[in-house]
Amino acid sequence: MRQSAFPSALLPRVLEIAHAAGVAIMAIYAEGADGAGLSHKSDGSPLTRADLRAHELIAQGLAALTPEIPVVSEEDPASLAHRLPTGRFWLVDPLDGTKEFIARNGQFTVNIAGVADGAAVFGVVVAPALGLAYWGSAGAGAFREKDGRTERIEVATPSRRPLRLVASKSHMNPETLDFIARLGAHELVQAGSSLKFCRIAEGSADVYPRLAPTCEWDTAAGQAVLEAAGGCVRELGDEPLRYGKPGLLNPSFVAASAPLANWLGAGGR
């Protein structure tokens, strides 16, 4: 994993780009449901004016900042040609949590990740409705901006308290319920979009099992932040979650503050 592939000096400018996208999203959010311009993609997933405007701002901003690094965005199907297992690319979800945006619950984010040789090594996550921003890069640590104050964040040290589990109620399939049962006593921490990774990164949650489909742009920025904070994101076979795979979909994975074996071993405590 090469820290220099996306130097930390890029972070202030990438944060500016993400915040600008957040401002544009919130302007459309303020117009209410009638102003969102809701439509649907060929796969049935929702699409709004906010998705497209955020994509435009981020793609233009990153292209100007690092013209040598291609931008892969959920809202630009042609850009998928740059999603390769080697080399560098930006991986962007301009509005992660479009369903949350439509539901008006604030649990949506702007995700910008830097991928180098298949690893998510640089990430920015902005939650504009919540006034939150998270960022991190390999070797440089992870940070949170809240109420105008910036602070370094780290995952929580595993303890004997009930496990704090982050999971989506809409993805509680039988496989996920079985996995959670194996973890033993737990309490549920609510979070939407890539904020699930960030809750673990800041120490307010411990484990996020995802045994339902996600796309690479859903996870890369959050993974980079979490790993920079000392956590890990692993497939169920304990391999690191990678990018530029032959298929766009991720396998099942677990994001956590400590290796998965630590938590499964705690199920009988």
Side-chain angles (χ1 to χ4, degrees), residues 145-167:
E145 181 183 74
K146 181 180 181 180
D147 299 327
R149 187 164 64 105
T150 297
E151 57 187 339
R152 191 181 184 103
I153 56 174
E154 295 181 346
V155 297
T157 302
S159 71
R160 295 185 63 84
R161 64 173 177 268
L163 190 66
R164 296 169 302 171
L165 179 81
V166 192

Side-chain angles (χ1 to χ4, degrees), residues 97-122:
T98 302
K99 292 179 180 178
E100 282 77 12
F101 177 88
I102 295 167
R104 305 187 63 77
N105 63 21
Q107 297 287 312
F108 50 85
T109 59
V110 175
N111 297 347
I112 303 177
V115 175
D117 295 333
V121 298
F122 181 110

Side-chain angles (χ1 to χ4, degrees), residues 4-259:
S4 60
F6 290 88
S8 56
L10 290 174
L11 272 168
R13 182 66 186 114
V14 178
L15 270 169
E16 288 179 11
I17 293 169
H19 278 301
V23 169
I25 288 170
M26 292 307 296
I28 296 171
Y29 193 66
E31 297 178 17
D34 292 340
L38 177 63
S39 61
H40 290 85
K41 302 178 190 178
S42 58
D43 64 359
S45 59
L47 179 69
T48 69
R49 288 174 51 226
D51 294 86
L52 297 175
R53 182 58 182 144
H55 160 73
E56 292 170 359
L57 289 170
I58 295 169
Q60 292 168 5
L62 293 177
L65 178 65
T66 55
E68 73 283 7
I69 303 177
V71 178
V72 177
S73 170
E74 178 180 8
E75 307 310 340
D76 179 9
S79 70
L80 293 177
H82 302 295
R83 194 183 57 84
L84 300 171
T86 58
R88 297 182 295 171
F89 61 90
W90 293 108
L91 185 55
V92 176
D93 191 341
L95 176 50
D96 181 26
T98 302
K99 292 179 180 178
E100 282 77 12
F101 177 88
I102 295 167
R104 305 187 63 77
N105 63 21
Q107 297 287 312
F108 50 85
T109 59
V110 175
N111 297 347
I112 303 177
V115 175
D117 295 333
V121 298
F122 181 110
V124 169
V125 175
V126 171
L130 304 179
L132 287 170
Y134 299 85
W135 62 92
S137 61
F143 300 84
R144 177 185 63 197
E145 181 183 74
K146 181 180 181 180
D147 299 327
R149 187 164 64 105
T150 297
E151 57 187 339
R152 191 181 184 103
I153 56 174
E154 295 181 346
V155 297
T157 302
S159 71
R160 295 185 63 84
R161 64 173 177 268
L163 190 66
R164 296 169 302 171
L165 179 81
V166 192
S168 171
K169 290 183 178 179
S170 61
H171 294 104
M172 286 291 189
N173 55 23
E175 293 82 5
T176 302
L177 292 171
D178 179 66
F179 183 90
I180 291 173
R182 294 169 61 198
L183 292 172
H186 64 274
E187 58 187 44
L188 191 63
V189 176
Q190 293 292 335
S193 61
S194 58
L195 288 170
K196 298 180 182 72
F197 295 93
C198 297
R199 296 303 184 207
I200 301 172
E202 70 185 7
S204 60
D206 300 306
V207 180
Y208 164 38
R210 182 62 184 238
L211 281 68
T214 55
C215 290
E216 289 192 352
W217 48 62
D218 295 320
T219 59
Q223 177 174 355
V225 172
L226 174 54
E227 292 183 345
C232 54
V233 182
R234 301 272 179 166
E235 298 178 17
L236 296 187
D238 206 32
E239 294 296 320
L241 186 63
R242 306 282 291 179
Y243 296 87
K245 301 184 291 293
L248 182 60
L249 293 179
N250 292 317
S252 296
F253 66 84
V254 177
S257 58

